[in-house]
Amino acid sequence: MTVVLETIPAARRWVRAERSAGQTVGFVPTMGAFHEGHLSLFRRARARCARVMVSVFVNPLQFGPGEDFERYPRDFSRDLALAEQEGVDAIFHPDAKEMYPEPQVITVDPGPLGQLLCGRSRPGHFPGVATVVAKLLNILEPDRVFFGQKDAQQAVIIERMIGELGFPVEMEVCPTVREPDGLALSSRNAYLSPEERARATVLYRSLCQAATLIRSGIRDVPRVEREMRELIAAIPGADLDYASVVDRRTLEGVSTIDREVLIAVAVRFGKTRLIDNIVLDVKDEQVREIPAIS
Ligand code: AMP
C-alpha cells in the first residue's frame, strides 16, 4: 500500500519514523502525470533505498506568465495506481496552500546557471525549481534524491545547490527514457498533435547528428550548432529556441569540443516547448556518452 500524505508535518513524521527505524529513504520529486521516465526513477530509488517517497506537486513558482501551469496534466488517481504498482511507499501530495501558505518571499537563486539555456526564455523557472526542491529536501530530509538526465540543466543546478548550501543528501541522476523513435518521454508530449508528435523526433535526431559529427573528428562548436539548427529548421512547425554545445558543469558556451560537453536543444511546436540533451566526454580522439552527473 502506498501511503498518501497531504501535509508537511505528516510527510516529515513519516520520513523521520522510517529513518529512526534504520531505513534509508529515497526521494523522487515530480509534478505527476507519470510516464516511464518517472517510473525509471522510482525503480532506481527502490533498488538503492529501503523506502521510497515520491512527491507530486505542480509547482506554481516554476511556471512563468503565459506558460502551461493551468493546463499541465493532472491525474492523481492514475499516478497513485502506478506508484502502487511500482512499490512506492509514500506519496507527498500537498496543495499549493500547504506548500506556500503565504507568498514565498525567500527564494533560492541559482545565479548565472539559471539564466543560460532554458533560463533565457524562462527567466523565473530555475529559481522556482531550486526553491521548491530546497523546501522539499528540508521538509523530508531523505537520504538520497533522484532526478532525470532529461532535465540536465535542472540536475546541474540542484547538484550545485546541494553542494554549495550543504544539504545532507546524496543525489543521483538517471538516464533519459525515450520512445522507440528516440523522443524523450515528457508529460508535455501529450499536448502534441499526431503530426507534431511525428516531427518532434527532430530533437533527438539533431543530438545524434551532433554526436556523429563529433565522432567523425569535428571539434568546432559553431559548425556543430549550425548543422543542428539546419536540421531543425527543415521541419515544418519546429520553432527553435536553442541548439547549444556547452561546458557540462558551468553550462557556458565553448568554442572547441575538448572536454565533457552538454549538447542541449529546445524546440517549440505551437505552444508546446520540448527539450532534450546528451552529454559527451571528448578527450583527444575518444568520444564517450556519459550521464549528466556521475
Ligand atoms: P517532472 O514531473 O517532469 O518534473 O519530472 C520529474 C523527474 O522525472 C525529473 O527529475 C525529470 O528529470 C525526470 N524525468 C522526466 N522525463 C524523464 C525521462 N524521459 N527520462 C528520465 N527521467 C525523466
Side-chain angles (χ1 to χ4, degrees):
M1 270 295 282
T2 306
V3 182
V4 179
L5 305 157
E6 294 184 337
T7 67
I8 290 172
R12 180 176 272 151
R13 264 198 309 273
W14 186 89
V15 179
R16 288 202 172 163
E18 293 298 338
R19 292 189 70 184
S20 45
Q23 310 292 355
T24 53
V25 175
F27 171 49
V28 185
T30 82
M31 299 204 298
F34 294 161
H35 51 64
E36 278 293 324
H38 296 109
L39 306 190
S40 73
L41 299 185
F42 305 165
R43 287 172 201 147
R44 178 72 70 96
R46 260 269 64 92
R48 291 272 198 276
C49 302
R51 298 285 180 264
V52 177
M53 171 171 270
V54 170
S55 64
V56 173
F57 179 59
V58 183
N59 172 34
L61 283 192
Q62 71 190 67
F63 289 80
E67 290 188 353
D68 56 345
F69 176 69
E70 301 297 338
R71 67 172 186 142
Y72 195 85
R74 292 166 174 88
D75 188 347
F76 188 70
S77 28
R78 178 179 169 276
D79 287 346
L80 179 56
L82 286 167
E84 297 258 14
Q85 270 174 35
E86 293 300 329
V88 168
D89 297 291
I91 294 190
F92 179 39
H93 183 46
D95 64 14
K97 272 218 191 85
E98 181 69 12
M99 281 298 274
Y100 306 121
E102 291 172 50
Q104 187 84 7
V105 172
I106 310 296
T107 55
V108 178
D109 178 5
L113 289 176
Q115 290 156 18
L116 301 162
L117 302 176
C118 290
R120 283 193 219 281
S121 53
R122 306 187 72 192
H125 174 66
F126 291 109
V129 168
T131 302
V132 77
V133 173
K135 189 156 182 170
L136 289 167
L137 291 176
N138 282 332
I139 291 166
L140 299 171
E141 300 178 300
D143 296 279
R144 294 181 88 82
V145 63
F146 298 83
F147 290 89
Q149 186 185 340
K150 156 82 183 350
D151 299 279
Q153 186 170 11
Q154 166 174 289
V156 167
I157 288 171
I158 300 300
E159 183 198 32
R160 219 31 202 266
M161 180 186 84
I162 286 172
E164 291 191 10
L165 299 185
F167 283 84
V169 67
E170 295 295 320
M171 170 170 172
E172 208 168 316
V173 179
C174 306
T176 301
V177 178
R178 302 178 179 283
E179 299 281 4
D181 64 6
L183 178 67
L185 296 188
S186 162
S187 308
R188 291 192 166 100
N189 293 351
Y191 301 150
L192 300 170
S193 69
E195 206 168 48
E196 289 170 335
R197 165 66 189 82
R199 292 170 174 169
T201 56
V202 75
L203 277 87
Y204 188 56
R205 283 190 286 115
S206 72
L207 298 171
C208 293
Q209 158 111 333
T212 304
L213 288 170
I214 295 166
R215 288 205 173 90
S216 79
I218 290 164
R219 297 288 180 265
D220 175 40
V221 170
R223 160 94 191 272
V224 173
E225 290 180 342
R226 190 179 66 242
E227 298 223 10
M228 291 170 76
R229 278 201 304 271
E230 284 172 5
L231 194 81
I232 294 163
I235 302 298
D239 177 14
L240 178 74
D241 183 349
Y242 64 80
S244 302
V245 181
V246 300
D247 181 281
R248 175 211 187 180
R249 285 176 199 281
T250 66
L251 306 180
E252 276 164 13
V254 291
S255 52
T256 303
I257 301 166
D258 55 1
R259 64 189 86 185
E260 292 179 2
V261 288
L262 173 71
I263 309 178
V265 285
V267 178
R268 280 200 176 78
F269 289 90
K271 282 190 186 158
T272 308
R273 188 173 175 282
L274 302 179
I275 57 171
D276 201 352
N277 70 86
I278 54 172
V279 180
L280 297 182
D281 179 13
V282 182
K283 278 195 201 84
D284 307 321
E285 298 300 295
Q286 276 195 336
V287 180
R288 205 164 54 90
E289 188 167 352
I290 47 174
I293 290 169
S294 50

